[in-house]
Amino acid sequence: MTDLTFTLSEAVRLPAAEREAILENPGFGNYFTDHMVSISWSREAGWHDAAVLPYGPLAIDPGSSVLHYGQEIFEGLKAYRRPDGSIVSFRPIENARRLNESAARLALPELPEELFVEACRQLVQIDADWVPAGEDQSLYLRPFMIADESFLGVRAAEKARFLVIACPSGAYFTGGVKPVSIWLSQGLSRAGDGGTGAAKCGGNYAASLLPQQVAAENGCQQVLFTDAQEEGRIDELGGMNLFLVRADGTLLTPELNGNILPGITRRSLIELAEARGHKVEERAVTVAEWRAGVADGSIVEAFACGTAAVITPIGKLKAPEFEIDFGENAPGTLTMSLREELTGIQTGVVADSHNWLTEFVPAP
Ligand code: PLP
Ligand code: COI
């Protein structure tokens, strides 16, 4: 199963001048590369038909389970161009593992980890010209799996498809590394005990869209979700994990309680901070603790982290009846130095002493 070979039906290329114009300012998620990878699955045949195809619309049966019951999962990882011209990816095996954890929760088939990494490599290799070299730029890879059996009974589909698409990306938040404001969701949750909060499935993001709109109406770029059962217990943002920094250098982040996504950036930052001698507490954190800590000076920084957002300083937490404002302390010093170390490893200016990088394309 893992020795599947990828067929290439047709190589297509956007004219170089058009591609270069896009790469100058790609934003996030606006443009897609020339190709995509597709692998099919059925209960009888397992994984088959691995192909690199021109990027384009999918023919999908209107009865497909994904369109009705949302049986879908996805991943997000980046490929970086290093100064020597090689292209690397950051901990792709961790994304492969997490995809399989999501697959298990959504009753989708597991994909061999090496096949996941190989699918990403195939796409990056053929679309290598799309990996930008500018500051804070990378190629964002979006592997995803959909259930595509045409059957309206409510049960796990017997057919699925795994695809990888990619978009050149700059900063997720426009305006560079500026502190963002986040809105404390009022009464709307993305996850609850026993639900799918720890899986990376489309449904969680669908649930976050309305609160995200409310956040935008209140002048905020992201929404912070608290636990649906326990009032005021912080989970995470719509698409990022959250860290607080204490004045003594201790990092504080909500524990993996089954409701939040186990972020690969989150895990990597914990390892980097601990290697520097910082204490990291993974435990229940409440909004009340955050408020009290900022008021008495014991909490001095806050940041969000994720593949798309990298590390983004938080300047304000807003709610109808209060506001936490880091004012001139944002962006915080530790926030920015962890950001520098992480992005330095990813782009090759800091030694990869943890062995986190996987080379997809060698230096020319
Ligand atoms: N939490 C949510 C809800 C996310 O969508 C993401 C992004 O993937 C993260 C956290 C951060 O995860 P990672 O660092 O693996 O990208
Ligand atoms: C990511 O960081 O990969 C995410 O999934 C966040 C967002 C773009 C959904």
Side-chain angles (χ1 to χ4, degrees):
M1 207 193 298
T2 52
D3 55 8
L4 273 183
T5 47
F6 288 78
T7 58
L8 170 64
S9 62
E10 184 193 350
V12 289
R13 304 273 170 218
L14 192 73
E18 285 177 47
R19 188 186 60 237
E20 292 306 324
I22 289 172
L23 294 186
E24 267 176 35
N25 188 16
F28 180 85
N30 302 323
Y31 304 96
F32 294 91
T33 64
D34 294 322
H35 297 89
M36 61 186 187
V37 165
S38 168
I39 315 176
S40 298
W41 177 87
S42 70
R43 185 157 304 284
E44 318 85 71
W47 290 104
H48 59 279
D49 285 353
V52 178
L53 305 164
Y55 181 89
L58 303 176
I60 188 159
D61 192 294
S64 285
S65 332
V66 64
L67 300 178
H68 302 274
Y69 309 127
Q71 203 185 355
E72 186 266 357
I73 55 176
F74 67 97
E75 271 304 323
L77 69 163
K78 285 176 170 173
Y80 306 86
R81 189 176 291 282
R82 290 159 63 96
D84 65 2
S86 64
I87 300 172
V88 296
S89 166
F90 185 71
R91 310 187 81 176
I93 200 77
E94 297 298 328
N95 294 89
R97 289 187 184 131
R98 191 172 62 189
L99 181 89
N100 282 338
E101 285 163 18
S102 302
R105 180 64 184 83
L106 273 286
L108 280 161
E110 294 192 5
L111 183 77
E113 289 166 10
E114 323 82 79
L115 192 52
F116 174 99
V117 176
E118 185 53 29
C120 294
R121 183 196 308 273
Q122 290 278 334
L123 186 58
V124 172
Q125 276 175 352
I126 193 159
D127 285 339
D129 288 345
W130 281 93
V131 184
E135 205 183 332
D136 294 332
Q137 289 189 329
S138 57
L139 185 72
Y140 181 80
L141 302 174
R142 171 53 62 84
F144 63 106
M145 197 192 294
I146 56 174
D148 73 347
E149 185 186 4
S150 177
F151 174 77
L152 291 187
V154 183
R155 60 149 171 79
E158 307 263 296
K159 279 185 176 174
R161 203 163 159 187
F162 171 77
L163 296 118
V164 190
I165 55 175
C167 34
S169 80
Y172 184 73
F173 295 108
T174 48
V177 193
K178 280 211 306 242
V180 295
S181 297
I182 60 177
W183 175 252
L184 182 61
S185 180
Q186 308 292 305
L188 298 173
S189 300
R190 71 182 280 285
D193 286 356
T196 55
K200 205 162 166 60
C201 62
N204 292 343
Y205 297 80
S208 77
L209 300 179
L210 174 61
Q212 179 67 42
Q213 270 180 351
V214 178
E217 283 158 15
N218 285 280
C220 295
Q221 291 92 336
Q222 269 283 308
V223 59
L224 174 66
F225 290 103
T226 49
D227 189 277
Q229 279 82 22
E230 248 179 88
E231 184 115 0
R233 200 173 130 161
I234 294 169
D235 274 348
E236 62 179 328
L237 306 180
M240 289 143 228
N241 293 118
L242 180 104
F243 279 85
L244 302 178
V245 182
R246 297 175 60 86
D248 66 1
T250 303
L251 286 156
L252 211 55
T253 193
E255 66 200 324
L256 300 179
N257 58 9
N259 290 342
I260 68 176
L261 195 78
I264 296 160
T265 317
R266 174 188 179 280
R267 169 72 18 219
S268 306
L269 290 174
I270 290 173
E271 289 176 38
L272 290 180
E274 285 180 342
R276 290 186 188 189
H278 289 271
K279 233 178 102 197
V280 183
E281 294 178 11
E282 295 180 68
R283 60 169 170 81
V285 183
T286 62
V287 174
E289 178 178 4
W290 185 350
R291 285 182 78 180
V294 173
D296 69 18
S298 61
I299 292 178
V300 291
E301 301 178 30
F303 63 86
C305 67
T307 298
V310 194
I311 295 181
T312 299
I314 294 172
K316 284 183 186 169
L317 172 66
K318 289 190 189 178
E321 66 285 357
F322 70 89
E323 185 171 307
I324 296 173
D325 191 344
F326 283 96
E328 299 196 341
N329 291 330
T333 319
L334 184 59
T335 301
M336 293 312 279
S337 96
L338 284 172
R339 187 180 200 282
E340 204 173 305
E341 185 173 2
L342 180 71
T343 56
I345 294 170
Q346 291 165 336
T347 55
V349 292
V350 172
D352 174 26
S353 46
H354 298 261
N355 251 327
W356 282 339
L357 302 180
T358 296
E359 189 175 88
F360 278 170
V361 179

